[in-house]
Amino acid sequence: MRPISPLIYGVNWAEDLDGEQRGTTVVRMGGNRMTAYNWENNASNAGSDYMHQNDAHLVGNSQSGDVPGEAVRVLAEDALTHGAAFIATVPICGYVAADKDGGGDVNQTPDYLETRFHPTIARKGAPFSSSPDLDDNAVYQDEFVAWMKQAFPEAFQGEVANVLFSLDNEPDLWNHTHERIHPEPVTYAELVDENIEFASAIKEVAPNALVTGFVSYGYSGYVSLQGAPDADGNFIEHYLDAMKAAEASEGRRLVDVLDLHWYTEIYANGERITGADASPESVEARVQAPRSLWDPTFVEDSWIANDVLSGPIMLIPWLRGLIDAHYPGTALGFTEYNFGGGNHISGAIAQADALGVFGREGVFVATIWDPGAEVSMLRAGVRAFTSYDGQGARFGDTSIHAETSDVARATVYASIDEADPSRMVLVALNKTTAPLTAAVTLAAYGSYTAVDVWQLTGDEADLAPAEPVTPGATNAFTYAMPAHSVSVLVPR
């Protein structure tokens, strides 16, 4: 048995916490837009996503768009009001946008770094203000943390705050996504120093807030910081060693969560499966892809498995091994991931599979990158764990052992509630194009007389109630799994 972290059922930029995203447990305000976000006036720079433009995108046409922190306040308030935690991004890249003037690439402005940006600085070294000076050519991030505490005081009560702070976004790609403010590749030394400086400043203001870093974009970032000029060994190992040393020096932990992004590099039918392609080749690759998170028998068809490892990725066990060896006690998070197929049942299956793995393998926080369009099946796959009945009924808080005879064809995850071990919830996945009959045996705390069923198939993006199953023997029954489906089974 293993406790399931409640923070694995998260999303970036939540927009429907009363509907399709019901049951979300953490909302992250992250992504490229946040690297140059100026909390003082809500300006941001789009980077390579849109012409390297400074603008008011994060506040739109809001009349309160000039109110300090307004872009963050709106999203954080929605999350916290719905009982979810919130992850705020702290810019550490060097500069944040000074204006919301638009007009395309900032490099059209002479001396644009001096005129269109302000330095982002860890510590103010002076009293904080909720109405910061817009003319001091500086944006202080410890003052931003203080503003968050003032705006949401209840979220910072208790042993652990309900607001987490992330150390920027995908620094291994800064010289591509934000080349106007960071044209050169980031180095090991630079990123470690910035993480220590800003994390320390955050902890001074909010000592009970968790800090996540280094927010890598993917595998090449993990191993070499995307070919950093001073690369010397595996960067995750280097980073964990440095954060462990920083704790010893400061007398307190600075970075609580090793925060990574994971987008599979598998291609099928000539396309990366993180897209919408629903060809048979992509569908089959997509429903198998989450096995790379853990499975020692699965070798995916990607450059990582084929050219670098010549074998299985086993991502989570590998990362846990690095943590145990270099900085024990560090939690593991994936604050961006998405297996594609957002409007296809294969996307729902992969999404549900990933959440099952995260719970079983002890991941601390996970927030899917939900693009907000053509994601109905993806969100339904999440609701198999967070609101399978549409009314908030959810997977249990404790993972228990569950196995199938053939993980390539079917996967099952099982849970109980710590407060009520007799309440069991199972999520079963049929990854094949044909129905499967599963013989299920429960080792349980009591005798169950029926099993309630909800099914997600390719017909519509919702979990529909199905006929309950009656056990044929004590805690044993057969269940007909529809082709390509997610099923929630609740013994009673």
Side-chain angles (χ1 to χ4, degrees):
M1 294 196 302
R2 185 200 292 268
I4 297 173
S5 170
L7 298 184
I8 62 172
Y9 307 113
V11 65
N12 284 267
W13 299 89
E15 60 184 25
D16 191 15
L17 295 178
D18 289 317
E20 281 193 330
Q21 294 172 315
R22 183 168 186 166
T24 293
T25 55
V26 58
V27 174
R28 173 179 179 253
M29 190 174 184
N32 291 336
R33 270 284 177 178
M34 302 311 296
T35 289
Y37 168 67
N38 181 344
W39 76 273
E40 294 184 354
N41 66 359
N42 302 294
S44 65
N45 183 274
S48 60
D49 289 348
Y50 188 72
M51 300 191 301
H52 298 279
Q53 174 174 283
N54 282 0
D55 56 35
H57 175 78
L58 294 180
V59 285
N61 297 319
S62 172
Q63 293 183 346
S64 56
D66 292 333
V67 176
E70 183 66 8
V72 177
R73 186 198 63 76
V74 170
L75 199 66
E77 184 172 81
D78 189 42
L80 295 167
T81 299
H82 283 88
F86 182 73
I87 302 176
T89 297
V90 173
I92 71 170
C93 185
Y95 296 89
V96 295
D99 63 71
K100 297 177 286 206
D101 293 346
D105 198 326
V106 292
N107 72 359
Q108 299 174 73
T109 303
D111 300 319
Y112 67 85
L113 267 184
E114 288 73 31
T115 58
R116 306 292 304 275
F117 292 89
H118 292 320
T120 176
I121 299 174
R123 291 178 174 85
K124 185 176 183 180
F128 299 135
S129 172
S130 58
S131 300
D133 184 353
L134 301 182
D135 298 317
D136 61 357
N137 192 38
V139 175
Y140 301 104
Q141 299 305 332
D142 59 349
E143 190 168 49
F144 168 66
V145 176
W147 173 84
M148 286 289 293
K149 288 186 68 175
Q150 183 182 43
F152 304 104
E154 293 184 359
F156 289 86
Q157 300 299 311
E159 183 178 353
V160 180
N162 212 25
V163 172
L164 299 81
F165 293 97
S166 172
L167 298 171
D168 215 291
N169 178 73
E170 299 186 343
D172 20 25
L173 297 181
W174 279 343
N175 62 310
H176 298 288
T177 56
H178 288 283
E179 61 182 305
R180 299 295 179 264
I181 60 176
H182 202 292
E184 299 300 323
V186 70
T187 66
Y188 280 31
E190 175 193 0
L191 191 58
V192 163
D193 287 348
E194 298 295 343
N195 268 242
I196 291 172
E197 181 180 6
F198 281 83
S200 178
I202 293 167
K203 291 285 189 177
E204 285 176 7
V205 179
N208 68 336
L210 301 180
V211 174
T212 82
F214 61 107
V215 203
S216 175
Y217 89 98
Y219 190 82
S220 289
Y222 304 173
V223 298
S224 70
L225 207 56
Q226 192 70 0
D230 63 342
D232 182 17
N234 179 291
F235 181 71
I236 288 181
E237 295 179 359
H238 180 91
Y239 180 77
L240 292 171
D241 287 341
M243 295 307 114
K244 182 178 180 180
E247 178 182 351
S249 175
E250 292 232 356
R252 61 182 172 188
R253 177 179 275 273
L254 299 181
V255 173
D256 303 279
V257 183
L258 176 62
D259 182 347
L260 307 173
H261 296 169
W262 180 252
Y263 294 100
T264 178
E265 296 283 352
I266 298 172
Y267 282 73
N269 192 38
E271 297 190 32
R272 195 173 179 185
I273 65 168
T274 50
D277 185 53
S279 66
E281 297 86 356
S282 289
V283 167
E284 175 60 18
R286 186 175 293 122
V287 298
Q288 300 299 329
R291 293 171 63 191
S292 283
L293 294 171
W294 66 275
D295 189 351
T297 70
F298 178 63
V299 181
E300 68 175 36
D301 186 12
S302 73
W303 63 265
I304 301 173
N306 295 334
D307 303 331
V308 178
L309 299 176
S310 300
I313 295 176
M314 293 190 295
L315 182 65
I316 295 174
W318 173 62
L319 294 170
R320 288 226 165 274
L322 296 182
I323 289 171
D324 291 345
H326 293 272
Y327 195 10
T330 305
L332 178 61
F334 296 99
T335 55
E336 288 187 26
Y337 70 99
N338 188 321
F339 289 94
N343 251 1
H344 191 268
I345 186 62
S346 63
I349 293 170
Q351 175 58 37
D353 205 2
L355 289 178
V357 172
F358 292 159
R360 187 188 67 199
E361 300 295 319
V363 171
F364 176 70
V365 60
T367 51
I368 188 167
W369 187 263
D370 179 342
E374 298 186 355
V375 290
S376 59
M377 276 291 184
L378 180 153
R379 292 179 176 179
V382 175
R383 290 197 304 277
F385 289 84
T386 63
S387 186
Y388 55 79
D389 65 347
Q391 304 299 315
R394 55 194 309 130
F395 202 62
D397 59 21
T398 304
S399 175
I400 58 175
H401 179 75
E403 63 181 23
T404 61
S405 58
D406 188 347
V407 295
R409 302 177 70 206
T411 307
V412 63
Y413 300 97
S415 69
I416 58 174
D417 284 341
E418 180 182 22
D420 180 11
S422 67
R423 180 183 180 267
M424 182 180 292
V425 179
L426 297 85
V427 172
L429 313 176
N430 181 355
K431 305 174 188 176
T432 74
T433 58
L436 292 176
T437 299
V440 181
T441 301
L442 306 176
Y445 288 85
S447 296
Y448 301 104
T449 59
V451 180
D452 293 324
V453 178
W454 285 263
Q455 295 175 339
L456 174 63
T457 63
D459 296 332
E460 60 180 282
D462 214 348
L463 288 129
E467 285 296 316
V469 175
T470 301
T474 301
N475 293 341
F477 59 94
T478 59
Y479 172 62
M481 304 171 66
H484 272 164
S485 63
V486 178
S487 298
V488 180
L489 309 175
V490 185
R492 56 177 169 86

